[in-house]
């Protein structure tokens, strides 16, 4: 019985060792979120696309992603991780943006950004409607 118990403990410890700590997980998520939003702010859709979950699951093409634009971000601040459960997370973001097509300028929004971990890497999940990132509360 002792060797079996030792093997079970060893497997349990091995499982823990390969899982990043919650703090390291949050840091990796925040880093990815900051990189993504900086690319979005610079209107670098080609590189921002690589951060989208849609680029991994083929639910959208790069062409479709580029066409859905229209929002110009003046500033985006990643405030922190609101929730992180398994491979799903929400990040609080504060943004100032405009929608030139609608002649909107200096709009402000606090939004909850959805992220999903795929193969150990965090990806941004596009909101269903991306016309307005979120209304100012």
């Amino acid at each position: 019985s002792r060797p079996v118990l030792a093997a079970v403990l060893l497997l349990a410890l091995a499982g823990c060792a390969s899982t990043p700590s919650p703090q390291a997980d949050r840091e990796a998520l925040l880093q990815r979120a900051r990189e993504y939003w900086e690319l979005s702010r610079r209107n670098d859709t080609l590189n921002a696309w690589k951060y989208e979950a849609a680029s991994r699951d083929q639910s959208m093409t790069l062409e479709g992603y580029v066409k859905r634009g229209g929002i110009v971000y003046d500033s985006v601040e990643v405030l922190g991780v609101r929730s992180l459960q398994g491979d799903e997370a929400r990040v609080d973001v504060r943004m100032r943006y405009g929608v030139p097509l609608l002649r909107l300028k200096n709009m402000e929004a606090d939004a909850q950004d959805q992220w999903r971990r795929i193969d150990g890497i965090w990806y941004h999940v596009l909101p269903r409607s991306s016309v307005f990132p979120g209304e100012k509360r």
Side-chain angles (χ1 to χ4, degrees), residues 6-38:
V8 168
L9 283 173
L10 198 61
L11 284 172
L13 289 173
C16 292
S18 65
T19 309
S21 72
Q23 188 57 36
D25 226 9
R26 285 174 176 266
E27 287 304 319
L29 172 57
L30 287 172
Q31 179 66 32
R32 289 277 293 176
R34 288 185 190 113
E35 291 168 4
Y36 167 79
W37 280 109
E38 180 56 24

Side-chain angles (χ1 to χ4, degrees), residues 55-66:
S55 73
R56 296 295 307 266
D57 63 19
Q58 279 91 43
S59 62
M60 182 184 283
T61 63
L62 173 59
E63 186 182 17
Y65 179 68
V66 171

Side-chain angles (χ1 to χ4, degrees), residues 94-122:
R94 177 166 293 147
M95 54 186 71
R96 207 171 72 242
Y97 65 97
V99 184
L101 191 66
L102 301 177
R103 295 193 177 130
L104 295 174
K105 293 182 181 176
N106 295 318
M107 303 296 291
E108 290 189 3
D110 285 349
Q112 280 188 38
D113 223 11
Q114 190 178 347
W115 288 75
R116 179 172 301 130
R117 186 175 17 213
I118 304 169
D119 297 332
I121 298 171
W122 289 104

Side-chain angles (χ1 to χ4, degrees), residues 72-135:
V72 177
Y73 296 98
D74 300 315
S75 68
V76 182
E77 184 184 357
V78 176
L79 302 174
V81 177
R82 170 160 302 230
S83 65
L84 195 163
Q85 295 176 334
D87 291 335
E88 299 289 328
R90 290 198 174 273
V91 174
D92 286 323
V93 180
R94 177 166 293 147
M95 54 186 71
R96 207 171 72 242
Y97 65 97
V99 184
L101 191 66
L102 301 177
R103 295 193 177 130
L104 295 174
K105 293 182 181 176
N106 295 318
M107 303 296 291
E108 290 189 3
D110 285 349
Q112 280 188 38
D113 223 11
Q114 190 178 347
W115 288 75
R116 179 172 301 130
R117 186 175 17 213
I118 304 169
D119 297 332
I121 298 171
W122 289 104
Y123 289 88
H124 181 252
V125 177
L126 287 168
R128 293 204 187 284
S129 166
S130 54
V131 176
F132 296 101
E135 296 301 325

